[in-house]
Amino acid sequence: MKNIAVILSGCGVYDGSEIQEAVITLLAIAQQGATYRCFAPNIAQHHVINHLTGEVSEEESRNVLVEAARIGRGDVEDLIELNEKEFDAIIFVGGFGAAKNLSSFALDNDNYSVNEQVLTAAKAFAKVEKPAGFMCIAPALLPLIYPAGVKGTIGKDNATAKLISAKGLTHIDCDVTDVVVDEAHKIVTTPAYMLAESISEAAVGINKLVKYVLAFSK
C-alpha cells in the first residue's frame, strides 16, 4: 500500500492550511487505496488571523505544528522527523500558510524564500525522484526546490504567476477542475481554491492530483 506524506502549514485558510483542501486531500488518498501521515514544521506562525473578521490578532501567537494537529485529529508529526524513505510521494496542501509559514511568498513577493525545514524535506523527495503534489498557492515553492523550468500552475492569476515565474517556474494556466503534470519531475499541481468557488469544484482537481501522484508512485 502506498504511503503519502502530507505537509500542512497550520489550520485556517488565512494563516495556515486551507482546511477543506486538506480534508479533501486526506479523503482522496484514503479512497484511492493509499495511506498518509501528516507533517508540519514546529515553528511559530507568521501571524494569527481572526477568520471571522479577517483582521490580524495582534496579541495572539500560534504554533504551526500545534495548529496543524487540529486537522490531523492530533495525529501530526514534526517535519524534521520526516524520512523520505518511508514514503512513496509527498503532497503540499495550500492556504496562506504555504505562503506565510512554509515560505515568505506572501510577504516578500519575487524575493521570497522557503523555510529551511520545508526545503530540506521537499528536496529529499526530489533527489530520489519521488512524486510530489502541490495545490493552490503551494506551487510557489516549486522553483526553489526543482531546477529552473519546472512546470506548474496556480490557476489563472497572471500577476501571482509572474512573481513565481521570476524564480524559474514555467507557469501553465489551468482550470480549477484540472491539473498540470510535469512528467520529467513527477510533479502534479492544481489551482484548488486559487480558483474554486465551491468545495465540490476544489475536490475535482484535488482528486485528480492525488490520482496522478499515486500513478507516478511505482
Side-chain angles (χ1 to χ4, degrees):
M1 185 176 288
K2 294 172 182 177
N3 193 20
I4 313 300
V6 177
I7 310 303
L8 303 175
S9 59
C11 181
V13 58
Y14 300 125
D15 57 14
S17 290
E18 212 298 321
I19 298 171
Q20 293 180 0
E21 290 179 2
V23 173
I24 293 167
T25 299
L26 301 182
L27 179 60
I29 291 169
Q31 288 182 329
Q32 293 182 38
T35 59
Y36 62 80
R37 283 161 57 192
C38 295
F39 293 85
N42 186 9
I43 58 174
Q45 286 186 186
H46 169 65
H47 59 194
V48 178
I49 298 290
N50 180 324
H51 279 58
L52 187 62
T53 65
E55 298 174 352
V56 176
S57 183
E58 297 286 358
E59 298 183 6
E60 191 174 0
S61 63
R62 297 191 183 188
N63 177 281
V64 173
L65 179 62
V66 172
E67 291 301 296
R70 294 176 179 271
I71 295 174
R73 294 172 57 85
D75 190 7
V76 64
E77 301 170 58
D78 191 327
L79 185 59
I80 62 171
E81 302 296 332
L82 175 57
N83 182 349
E84 76 281 357
K85 295 177 182 177
E86 299 174 358
F87 297 90
D88 298 286
I90 188 169
I91 294 178
F92 287 80
V93 173
F96 275 100
K100 294 177 178 178
N101 303 327
L102 303 188
S103 74
S104 63
F105 180 69
L107 316 169
D108 298 328
N109 294 321
D110 60 354
N111 194 37
Y112 69 100
S113 60
V114 176
N115 171 276
E116 284 299 323
Q117 292 180 29
V118 176
L119 201 57
T120 297
K123 282 190 171 184
F125 278 79
K127 184 177 180 180
V128 294
E129 299 182 345
K130 290 189 175 181
F134 296 76
M135 67 192 69
C136 191
I137 196 59
L141 306 176
L142 285 174
L144 297 180
I145 299 166
Y146 296 88
V150 59
K151 298 175 184 176
T153 190
I154 49 85
K156 298 181 179 180
D157 184 331
N158 291 333
T160 302
K162 186 176 180 180
L163 293 173
I164 306 172
S165 296
K167 285 288 194 181
L169 179 74
T170 297
H171 184 267
I172 299 170
D173 284 356
C174 181
D175 291 330
V176 64
T177 57
D178 209 352
V179 296
V180 167
V181 179
D182 184 323
E183 298 268 357
H185 298 100
K186 300 180 181 177
I187 297 166
V188 189
T189 54
T190 192
Y193 270 109
M194 287 296 288
L195 284 178
E197 296 182 357
S198 68
I199 189 170
S200 57
E201 274 193 350
V204 176
I206 294 171
N207 273 283
K208 283 184 180 178
L209 179 147
V210 171
K211 180 180 179 180
Y212 275 91
V213 167
L214 290 176
F216 272 136
S217 310
K218 301 300 183 182

